Amino acid sequence: MTKRPKTSPPKRASKRRMLPTDRFAYSAIAERPRLRLPDNARMAVWVIINVEEWDFTAPMPRTVLTPPAGGSPMPDVPNWAWHEYGNRVGFWRFVELFDEFAIPAVVAINGSAIVAYPQIVRAAVDRKWEFMGHGFTQRNMQKVADERADIRKVRETIAKATGTPPRGWLGPGLTETFETPDILAEEGYDYVADWVLDDQPVWLKTRTTPILNLPYTQECNDVAMMLIQHHSASEYRDRALDQFDQIYADSKQSARVMALSVHPYIMGVPHRLKYLRAVFEGIRNRSGVKFWTGTQIADWYRAAGPKPS
C-alpha cells in the first residue's frame, strides 16, 4: 500500500467540533448495494486480543476486588496482579488456542505494553498477527495530556518493535475526544474501531482524509459480559454463537463483519478459556466465513465497498 504523506489540519477547522452527523450520514443497511466477499464468503470475523499495561502507581483501570474500606488505594496489589496474570499466563493460553485453529489475531496494545512485555510482542510478530494502536497507556483519551503526541508515540513504538506501523486504532475503553478521528487520519492511521454502530465498515469524514471505521463489539466483549454484567463464563459462548447465527443469516444477501473481543486476564483464565474454544469450534463449522485481520477487512472494503463521499 502506498504510504500517505502526513497532512496538517487546517488552522480554522482544528477548533471545530465535528458531531456524528458531520462525520457520516444515516444509512439503512437494508437499502445499501450488495456487498460481496471473495470466494463467495458471507462473513468476515476478526478477533481482537487487548494487551494492556496497568500503572502500579495509579488507580487501576478496572477492579475485580474492592478494598475493605472502599476507595481507590495505591498501590492496589490484588487488582494489578489480577491483570498481570493475564499477561503472564492467560495470553499464552490464547497463543495455543489461536495456533490450534489457525486464526490470525489482532493485538490491540498499549504503547507502554510493547516495552513491558517483549515476549508477547515477539510471539505475535512470529505469528504475523496484526498490531493495532490502543493508547500509549490504559486511560481515557479525554485524560491524555497531549492526544496527538500519544497517538503518534503509539505508532512509532509499534513500528520500531514490529517493523510495521499500525494501520488501525482502538481507543482504551473506546474513548475518544472530538478530534480523535481527525488526528488518527493525520498521523497515518487508516482505520478505527471505536464507533460500534454497524455490521459493515463505515467511512468517517475528518478534517483531511476520510478514515474507515470497522465493526467492533460491545456485546461480544468479555469486559462487558464478565466484569460489568457479571455473567457466568458460559455466557461468552452462548452470546457469541447466538450473535454469529443472526449475523450469518443477515449476510445471505450482503456481506457482514463480526468482531470478538477478549482480554488475557478475563477469557484467558482457566474457567473461561473452554468457552472461547467452543466459539471458535462453532464458527469454524460454518461455510463462507473468513477469519481476517482488521487490515484485511479494511483493504477488502476499500476495494469492494462504496467510496467515501
Side-chain angles (χ1 to χ4, degrees):
M1 180 178 177
T2 303
K3 187 176 181 180
R4 294 179 303 170
K6 293 182 180 179
T7 57
S8 299
K11 292 182 179 180
R12 293 182 181 178
S14 64
K15 296 182 179 179
R16 177 173 174 263
R17 290 184 172 185
M18 294 182 72
L19 301 177
T21 49
D22 297 316
R23 296 200 184 276
F24 51 84
Y26 170 78
S27 172
I29 198 167
E31 298 176 353
R32 298 173 198 166
R34 184 172 184 177
L35 190 59
R36 298 176 184 271
L37 281 160
D39 308 318
N40 294 316
R42 295 172 56 159
M43 283 181 64
V45 177
W46 65 314
V47 188
I48 302 92
I49 300 175
N50 293 266
V51 175
E52 303 161 358
E53 184 200 21
W54 290 5
D55 183 354
F56 190 64
T57 66
M60 294 297 102
R62 301 182 183 96
T63 59
V64 66
L65 293 176
T66 55
S72 300
M74 291 183 288
D76 187 343
V77 172
N79 288 303
W80 183 89
W82 166 55
H83 151 269
E84 185 70 2
Y85 177 92
N87 292 332
R88 294 170 69 95
V89 183
F91 177 84
W92 304 101
R93 293 192 179 111
F94 285 169
V95 167
E96 291 186 6
L97 184 63
F98 280 68
D99 282 354
E100 178 184 343
F101 286 88
I103 291 174
V106 177
V107 181
I109 190 166
N110 295 153
S112 63
I114 292 282
V115 177
Y117 306 109
Q119 295 92 335
I120 288 177
V121 174
R122 186 163 56 249
V125 169
D126 288 346
R127 287 162 176 77
K128 296 181 172 56
W129 290 355
E130 180 180 355
F131 284 75
M132 180 164 57
H134 191 46
F136 196 80
T137 58
Q138 188 62 19
R139 68 185 66 191
N140 294 356
M141 291 306 293
Q142 299 94 332
K143 294 182 178 180
V144 172
D146 186 332
E147 183 179 20
R148 183 181 296 277
D150 186 276
I151 288 171
R152 182 178 295 169
K153 191 175 181 181
V154 172
R155 191 169 190 270
E156 292 171 348
T157 302
I158 292 176
K160 182 178 180 181
T162 69
T164 304
R167 290 177 55 187
W169 176 270
L170 180 73
L174 308 184
T175 56
E176 289 192 2
T177 71
F178 283 101
E179 289 189 293
T180 303
D182 309 299
I183 296 172
L184 289 172
E186 292 158 10
E187 292 299 323
Y189 295 81
D190 58 21
Y191 80 82
V192 64
D194 295 335
W195 299 69
V196 186
L197 45 68
D198 212 298
D199 288 335
Q200 294 178 342
V202 175
W203 285 108
L204 303 182
K205 293 180 181 178
T206 76
R207 296 181 297 223
T208 55
T209 306
I211 192 169
L212 193 61
N213 182 77
L214 299 192
Y216 189 63
T217 180
Q218 298 185 42
E219 295 292 344
C220 289
N221 187 317
D222 53 4
V223 169
M225 273 187 262
M226 303 300 144
L227 306 189
I228 298 173
Q229 299 163 353
H230 302 292
H231 286 291
S232 63
S234 61
E235 174 71 10
Y236 195 92
R237 173 202 61 201
D238 296 345
R239 190 183 300 189
L241 291 178
D242 285 347
Q243 180 142 321
F244 172 83
D245 286 344
Q246 181 59 55
I247 296 176
Y248 188 82
D250 295 340
S251 68
K252 182 177 181 180
Q253 300 302 324
S254 188
R256 300 291 197 271
V257 177
M258 176 175 163
L260 295 167
S261 174
V262 293
H263 296 69
Y265 64 96
I266 304 177
M267 289 308 294
V269 300
H271 66 283
R272 294 194 184 107
L273 188 75
K274 68 179 182 180
Y275 297 109
L276 180 59
R277 174 187 293 277
V279 174
F280 289 171
E281 289 173 343
I283 295 176
R284 270 290 187 222
N285 289 332
R286 304 295 287 273
S287 62
V289 179
K290 290 183 177 293
F291 278 99
W292 270 359
T293 64
T295 290
Q296 288 175 299
I297 294 169
D299 286 345
W300 155 71
Y301 191 79
R302 284 174 180 276
K307 306 308 175 187
S309 57

